[in-house]
Amino acid sequence: MLSAWRQMTPQERRGAKTGYLALSPWMVGFVIFYAFPILATFYFSLTQWTLVDPPVWIGLDNYVRMFTRDPLFISSLKATTLFVALSLPLKLVLGLMLALLLNLKIPGMNLFRTVFFIPAVISGVAVSLMWIWFLQPDTGVVNTLLSYIGVRGPYWFWDLNWALPSVAIMSIWKVGGAAIIYLAGLQNIPAHLYEAAEIDGAGKWRRFWRITLPLLTPTLFFQLIIELIDAFKIFTEAFVITKGGPLKATYFFLYYFYEEAFRNFNMGYASALALFLLVVIMGCTVFVYRTSGRWVFYEN
Amino acid sequence: MKYRFTKKAVLLVTLLLLLLASVGGAAAQDPVTITWWTLASAESPEPAIRAVVEAFEAEHPDIKIDVTIMAESAYGDLMNTALGAGEGAPDIAYFWETPWLPHTLDITAHLEADPDLSRDDYFEEYFNNWAVWDGKVVGLPFTVGANFVMYNKDVFDDAGVDYPTADWTPWDYIEIAKALTDPDKRRWGGDRPRGPFRAIWRNIGATKPYSDDSATVDGYINGPDSVAAYTWLWDLVDSGATPTPADIEVLGTEGTGPVDLFIAGRLGMATLNNGHMITAANAGVNFGVVPEPHVPENERFVHAWALRASIWAGTEHPDEAYEFLSFWAGPEGQRINMEIGALMPSLPSVLADYPDAESDYFQGFMGVLNATQTAEWRASHPCWRGAVIRSVSDAWDLIMLGEIERDEVQATLDALVEPAQAALEECVPRLGG
């Protein structure tokens, strides 16, 4: 880097300095609000710390406990993984379907787009409270509608087998946000490709599989990573609605982290949990990134 | 020349001394500033807080109060940060978290020397549970709160059931709840407890989740008294006379109990608190108050709470801080909050002047304030509140979901011993017993 700097002309150096100056607000923010806290978290994960007393160095004890004698670590990881497996395909597929509908050229489409996007900007707590009403077993909207067709709806959040699927179903609520991203991707697909395919006699289904889907894969790739990270961070629903129950069915990883940090005053162990989640998310992201060469197609 | 220099030097030194004296004099006259972090609520609203400051400063012109009224959501973070850093904490604040207690000033000597205030001025149980820690007085109890059973007299009259009396048992509660339940009117007889080892657990058999030395779970959480209490819960759930957790979640007031159902007449009895009591009174509900049921041969317990008003151990002005603390959490400050807000003071002499103090329901409430409190488990044992309760919550969920039979209660509790013991052993060395 130093040799590259020496090889620059004075004019290039001035340009580089301006560039670094322009970058500096972000760099300062990154160092203060991201890099330093991550490093601090790593340090605290090697300590026993109650927040109000000085941290005590305990080496790898928190990690040993996590991997060898903490059943809640396993159950929270299991609940979170199940949630990711359920909610991620739901959001990706339904988001795409919604985007295809919102891409139709019919009157009033801008209004529909706005309406479908609105849920994505509503606070998670408000949405959670609303879903409690939706899925209330006796008087909720969903079970009332089911009762009209003779179906006795489940106890949803309060049923051992339905609690986690209920939270996954709830995550669909924000699918409008994903749909808007897909919509941008759809509108970037050149119209002449569709025209050529139509002239060649390709039907709607074939055009979707041969043109739309391949050219939408960069957007799908982006959405997959964003939704994956978002799904691993599931917290609000457990905090507001289920409190991790029943029987730990929705005891998600971040909820466990929260309880350890702020209810159990075990900030050292909570730091270790946070770092583990960081590694898991990073690992999944790298995996998706590495495989993207096989299924993501760029127009050029 | 030398003489002139000496004269000038003497003049200069004199001037400097005069300057220093004047600055020192001014400093001596400057009032001491005490910082106070607090929260505004319906019980202690901002005007009451300001009025306390104004009244105190009028009485103590040598002490200024620098009050910061915070949002509750930020309060804990700010206290944790300041206490953890060892600097920047307020002189006076609520020290409600147990890990904050070692950072409070021991005010035992101050209180003993105080001619205007003594521990006997407070409700004894509230003082012992909320002001005393580790044998020291570490604060003063501000306000009182308690759970008790509120019963809707109109619902009882409609069902032709006698009102409950203070000598009722937990099994009476189930029978009365069944008698009040009327599916046609969408009415339940009573509610369910909202957590184990609260008052009714103690009232059934002095049940504790683990030994007093915080070392042993076996024989406590799965002991005969605990099994009896959990079996009582099983019977209550099985009776069908109570709303399900789903009903409570939707129709009850957020996390604090089913007061809405009670006010609407859809719940004959509910274990509520004094805030709910005032809400129901304002809504014109015809109701009475009794303590939670207990087994006659056992001592009666009540689930109760107060706010611990304390002085930070790092204060530079302990005497002045105590002056303000004893004013704010003493008779004058709590009376101001009672008159401007809706605070229920922790001093019997002041609470006796509460606007509704003569009413039947308020007298019933006063009756629970001297009962022995379960606070020792709920607040003073951080390991119970954090780690252990989480490991034993499965038994609670299984009963609430109707997933186990009555004769499986013992085995279910036996299965909790190992995780609860592990949680205790992890937590006690870290947070204390």
Side-chain angles (χ1 to χ4, degrees):
Chain A
M1 190 175 166
L2 204 61
S3 60
W5 180 260
R6 284 182 186 139
Q7 285 166 7
M8 285 180 179
T9 64
Q11 194 179 357
E12 283 173 336
R13 284 183 189 169
R14 271 200 302 277
K17 280 180 189 169
T18 310
Y20 285 123
L21 198 65
L23 268 178
S24 60
W26 183 87
M27 289 294 286
V28 169
F30 175 78
V31 169
I32 294 174
F33 296 114
Y34 291 89
F36 175 71
I38 289 172
L39 287 175
T41 303
F42 179 67
Y43 165 70
F44 289 127
S45 76
L46 302 172
T47 67
Q48 182 177 290
W49 184 33
T50 60
L51 267 179
V52 291
D53 294 316
V56 178
W57 180 266
I58 55 168
L60 293 173
D61 279 8
N62 285 327
Y63 292 96
V64 172
R65 177 190 161 196
M66 193 194 297
F67 294 121
T68 61
R69 55 175 198 275
D70 184 3
L72 286 174
F73 167 71
I74 303 294
S75 53
S76 63
L77 195 60
K78 190 175 149 194
T80 309
T81 309
L82 271 173
F83 173 77
V84 172
L86 271 176
S87 71
L88 193 61
L90 264 179
K91 283 182 84 175
L92 288 174
V93 172
L94 290 178
L96 178 58
M97 286 167 65
L98 182 61
L100 290 169
L101 288 174
L102 293 177
N103 201 30
L104 296 175
K105 290 180 174 52
I106 56 169
M109 185 49 81
N110 285 341
L111 179 67
F112 285 121
R113 287 172 185 170
T114 309
V115 167
F116 278 103
F117 185 69
I118 285 172
V121 295
I122 297 178
S123 127
V125 174
V127 170
S128 298
L129 292 174
M130 195 184 64
W131 275 88
I132 291 176
W133 284 89
F134 275 177
L135 297 182
Q136 207 279 341
D138 297 321
T139 53
V141 177
V142 176
N143 277 10
T144 303
L145 291 175
L146 286 174
S147 71
Y148 290 152
I149 55 169
V151 175
R152 167 103 176 102
Y155 267 64
W156 300 109
F157 297 122
W158 299 275
D159 183 307
L160 186 57
N161 300 314
W162 274 98
L164 194 134
S166 301
V167 179
I169 291 169
M170 203 184 137
S171 68
I172 300 168
W173 175 257
K174 289 195 286 185
V175 86
I180 293 297
I181 309 281
Y182 282 126
L183 193 57
L186 285 172
Q187 294 184 345
N188 272 339
I189 298 174
H192 66 82
L193 294 178
Y194 289 112
E195 288 161 10
E198 208 170 342
I199 291 165
D200 289 344
K204 281 185 178 175
W205 192 239
R206 185 171 278 258
R207 278 181 306 200
F208 173 75
W209 280 109
R210 299 289 180 175
I211 300 172
T212 308
L213 202 57
L215 291 181
L216 205 58
T217 49
T219 314
L220 263 171
F221 172 52
F222 171 78
Q223 276 300 109
L224 177 59
I225 288 182
I226 296 295
E227 298 292 356
L228 183 77
I229 294 170
D230 197 46
F232 269 112
K233 294 194 303 180
I234 176 82
F235 170 74
T236 310
E237 293 80 354
F239 182 71
V240 176
I241 304 172
T242 62
K243 309 287 184 290
L247 283 176
K248 312 277 188 310
T250 59
Y251 202 75
F252 298 123
F253 203 83
L254 271 192
Y255 187 73
Y256 182 35
F257 160 82
Y258 162 79
E259 284 213 325
E260 277 299 303
F262 300 108
R263 292 196 69 187
N264 208 14
F265 291 99
N266 200 355
M267 199 50 90
Y269 191 62
S271 299
L273 290 173
L275 274 186
F276 177 80
L277 186 64
L278 176 74
V279 170
V280 168
I281 291 177
M282 203 182 278
C284 290
T285 308
V286 168
F287 175 76
V288 172
Y289 196 81
R290 284 278 172 86
T291 59
S292 66
R294 296 181 200 163
W295 59 274
V296 178
F297 305 102
Y298 293 95
E299 200 184 349
N300 53 359
Chain B
M1 185 73 182
K2 191 180 174 184
Y3 169 77
R4 278 173 63 193
F5 173 76
T6 310
K7 193 176 171 186
K8 270 186 183 174
V10 168
L11 193 64
L12 190 65
V13 167
T14 309
L15 278 171
L16 275 171
L17 284 172
L18 278 171
L19 187 67
L20 279 172
S22 67
V23 170
Q29 287 165 5
D30 275 348
V32 168
T33 298
I34 296 297
T35 52
W36 176 30
W37 288 1
T38 190
L39 308 165
S41 62
E43 290 75 23
S44 179
E46 184 172 346
I49 293 167
R50 303 279 177 210
V52 167
V53 172
E54 195 177 321
F56 177 79
E57 288 181 345
E59 270 186 32
H60 302 81
D62 52 335
I63 305 174
K64 288 282 168 206
I65 304 300
D66 177 10
V67 60
T68 305
I69 301 172
M70 298 184 167
E72 190 174 343
S73 54
Y75 184 81
D77 291 342
L78 288 164
M79 284 292 284
N80 279 326
T81 307
L83 295 177
E87 57 184 44
D91 296 305
I92 307 265
Y94 296 124
F95 278 65
W96 61 52
E97 294 289 2
T98 311
W100 298 351
L101 285 172
H103 300 266
T104 52
L105 184 74
D106 178 359
I107 57 167
T108 310
H110 281 96
L111 188 62
E112 282 171 0
D114 192 334
D116 303 319
L117 189 67
S118 88
R119 58 195 301 158
D120 298 335
D121 294 335
Y122 292 88
F123 285 106
E124 185 183 358
E125 278 290 310
Y126 282 89
F127 192 90
N128 290 339
N129 281 308
W130 304 96
V132 179
W133 175 73
D134 202 19
K136 300 173 289 190
V137 180
V138 294
L140 296 173
F142 186 77
T143 194
V144 288
N147 279 140
F148 39 79
V149 176
M150 283 165 57
Y151 58 95
N152 189 320
K153 291 181 176 176
D154 293 339
V155 171
F156 273 72
D157 293 345
D158 182 53
V161 176
D162 290 339
Y163 300 153
T165 51
D167 58 353
W168 63 336
T169 70
W171 293 275
D172 292 337
Y173 180 88
I174 296 178
E175 291 308 313
I176 293 172
K178 280 155 74 172
L180 296 174
T181 300
D182 187 341
D184 293 338
K185 294 178 179 171
R186 297 181 62 79
R187 187 174 75 200
W188 294 281
D191 67 338
R192 300 177 184 182
R194 285 177 286 287
F197 295 96
R198 291 167 72 125
I200 211 151
W201 256 248
R202 307 298 307 275
N203 289 344
I204 285 177
T207 319
K208 293 176 181 179
Y210 45 82
S211 58
D212 282 339
D213 61 0
S214 303
T216 311
V217 169
D218 196 14
Y220 290 87
I221 215 157
N222 60 338
D225 292 334
S226 180
V227 172
Y230 275 100
T231 305
W232 171 82
L233 179 72
W234 192 97
D235 290 341
L236 180 64
V237 171
D238 186 60
S239 72
T242 67
T244 65
D247 297 317
I248 296 292
E249 188 72 47
V250 175
L251 302 171
T253 302
E254 189 185 327
T256 54
V259 66
D260 295 342
L261 284 173
F262 180 78
I263 288 174
R266 293 189 55 199
L267 195 53
M269 302 179 288
T271 307
L272 297 168
N273 64 42
N274 34 319
H276 298 136
M277 180 176 79
I278 299 304
T279 306
N282 291 339
V285 179
N286 181 22
F287 70 98
V289 165
V290 279
E292 290 190 66
H294 82 300
V295 176
E297 54 265 31
N298 293 332
E299 186 182 7
R300 182 192 294 287
F301 283 84
V302 61
H303 176 57
W305 56 90
L307 287 165
R308 185 185 299 108
S310 300
I311 300 172
W312 176 41
T315 181
E316 291 177 6
H317 310 290
D319 296 337
E320 290 84 357
Y322 177 78
E323 283 292 324
F324 178 65
L325 179 74
S326 61
F327 181 89
W328 166 46
E332 289 157 293
Q334 293 207 49
R335 183 177 292 281
I336 289 171
N337 279 282
M338 180 178 79
E339 288 172 357
I340 297 178
L343 187 92
M344 295 196 181
S346 54
L347 303 106
S349 60
V350 186
L351 186 61
D353 294 335
Y354 198 84
D356 268 359
E358 298 303 318
S359 64
D360 281 351
Y361 72 82
F362 205 94
Q363 289 297 312
F365 165 64
M366 295 280 267
V368 305
L369 296 180
N370 287 312
T372 309
Q373 298 179 356
T374 58
E376 56 179 301
W377 287 111
R378 298 294 299 177
S380 303
H381 282 218
C383 293
W384 162 248
R385 201 176 48 166
V388 182
I389 198 169
R390 187 174 54 193
S391 64
V392 302
S393 66
D394 285 0
W396 181 268
D397 285 355
L398 285 167
I399 292 172
M400 285 288 170
L401 293 168
E403 293 280 328
I404 58 168
E405 296 300 322
R406 195 173 195 267
D407 58 6
E408 293 174 317
V409 170
Q410 175 77 63
T412 305
L413 294 175
D414 286 341
L416 298 180
V417 170
E418 191 182 335
Q421 185 69 40
L424 197 62
E425 285 171 6
E426 182 281 320
C427 181
V428 169
R430 189 163 45 80
L431 295 181

